Amino acid sequence: MVKTLADYMEKSYRMEIAEDKDEGGFVVSYPDLPGCITCGETVESAVLNALDAKRAWLEAALGEGIKIYDPDNLDDYSGQFKLRIPRSLHRL
């Protein structure tokens, strides 16, 4: 099934917001959309700009035939991982 721009816009892509201490304002990126990044003077303006950037990024990707991945879903992770350590360390 071919997905449309509207299909991708409805998906909840994780947004990361960071303060830009050098230039001022805030930088927003979408880790699941490589290179999709924008900024704004306030958090609110940065988020609005991010929604525009997301739309533009998705439109360009669809137009160029670039594979668009679904957003990372935390339900796919158990929160557990296994770590092997030397027996001598485990004994402590």
Side-chain angles (χ1 to χ4, degrees):
M1 177 175 115
V2 177
K3 293 181 183 171
T4 65
L5 175 61
D7 294 330
Y8 286 111
M9 286 299 292
E10 287 179 12
K11 294 184 179 287
S12 296
Y13 286 95
R14 182 170 50 95
M15 184 186 296
E16 291 184 350
I17 303 171
E19 186 176 2
D20 186 341
K21 295 184 192 246
D22 295 330
E23 300 290 324
F26 297 86
V27 176
V28 182
S29 63
Y30 291 94
D32 295 323
L33 305 175
C36 185
I37 187 169
T38 190
C39 61
E41 291 184 19
T42 65
V43 171
E44 294 81 8
S45 66
V47 168
L48 288 175
N49 291 343
L51 296 174
D52 289 339
K54 176 183 171 183
R55 177 178 296 280
W57 191 97
L58 290 168
E59 285 174 341
L62 287 168
E64 295 291 323
I66 296 170
K67 181 165 178 57
I68 303 171
Y69 295 96
D70 285 334
D72 199 12
N73 186 347
L74 289 179
D75 292 338
D76 296 337
Y77 301 96
S78 68
Q80 300 177 14
F81 66 94
K82 296 183 183 197
L83 175 66
R84 293 199 178 271
I85 59 174
R87 288 181 183 173
S88 60
L89 183 58
H90 186 222
R91 178 182 69 212
L92 298 176

